[in-house]
Amino acid sequence: LSMSLRGQVALLVSVAVLLTCGVMFATNMVMERRQTLEKSDNGLRLLSLYMAGQLANRFEAVSSKADQLALRVSDRVPSYSKEIYDLMEQYYGLNPDIFGGAIAFDDRQFTRHQRLYCLFVAKDSETGGFLKGRLPPEYDYLDPDGPKSSWFTVPKTTGKSAWTLPYLDDGGGNV
């Protein structure tokens, strides 16, 4: 079973051609994979920039509503709680991006007999209406060193709405 010199050369050339084709195919696959990943990365980067812009616009719209409500309340401090609840329901009910919020008054600002006075409203996911309530006195939002006071102290200091990390609330809105 000896092969002629011509057969050996043909076999050697065929193996070399097959190896070269295999290396070219593998190199092409690696390059195509790299290009596909780069295109995906660029597409995801553009998508994330677009989504960040959309979120920024929605946050700005929500902040604007909060600022409008704060201006409306500060122009004339409501004299009773129902008026405050009605205002919050009006503002939050018209905006699907707002789940709820609170209006907190400074030290004895709403009533001279109470140091803390903060009313909140949250959309009730079960009824479609609103849950209303008042923060308990143990929740001292006026304490500048308190762990949960930045939502009150930052807007008070800066004069405009501000975003904070979410606060976990047991039962708020029946979520």
Side-chain angles (χ1 to χ4, degrees), residues 3-28:
M3 208 184 263
S4 67
L5 183 59
R6 179 184 252 177
Q8 289 176 357
V9 169
L11 181 62
L12 185 62
V13 168
S14 296
V15 168
V17 166
L18 282 175
L19 282 173
T20 303
C21 286
V23 168
M24 289 173 56
F25 178 76
T27 302
N28 189 36

Side-chain angles (χ1 to χ4, degrees), residues 151-170:
W151 65 267
F152 180 79
T153 56
V154 171
K156 180 183 173 189
T157 304
T158 63
K160 55 190 216 178
S161 58
W163 290 98
T164 64
L165 293 174
Y167 292 100
L168 299 178
D169 180 19
D170 185 21

Side-chain angles (χ1 to χ4, degrees), residues 42-145:
N42 288 336
L44 289 173
R45 196 172 296 112
L46 290 174
L47 179 62
S48 66
L49 289 172
Y50 171 77
M51 293 305 295
Q54 292 295 310
L55 285 173
N57 289 341
R58 290 177 92 167
F59 282 141
E60 183 61 36
V62 169
S63 292
S64 173
K65 289 289 183 195
D67 290 340
Q68 290 171 14
L69 182 56
L71 281 173
R72 190 161 173 193
V73 170
S74 65
D75 283 345
R76 186 189 64 76
V77 175
S79 57
Y80 56 97
S81 300
K82 182 178 179 340
E83 189 177 357
I84 296 170
Y85 286 131
D86 290 346
L87 281 171
M88 286 192 286
E89 284 184 24
Q90 177 187 357
Y91 275 83
Y92 304 152
L94 294 175
N95 192 327
D97 291 329
I98 299 175
F99 175 74
I103 293 182
F105 294 89
D106 210 348
D107 190 0
R108 301 182 202 294
Q109 182 184 13
F110 189 77
T111 173
R112 64 186 171 142
H113 303 293
Q114 294 174 323
R115 182 175 163 268
L116 301 169
Y117 200 85
C118 177
L119 302 176
F120 66 87
V121 168
K123 292 177 182 173
D124 187 337
S125 60
E126 291 178 4
T127 67
F130 289 94
L131 295 173
K132 303 171 193 173
R134 189 169 149 215
L135 286 184
E138 301 82 43
Y139 191 105
D140 189 355
Y141 59 87
L142 294 176
D143 178 4
D145 299 322

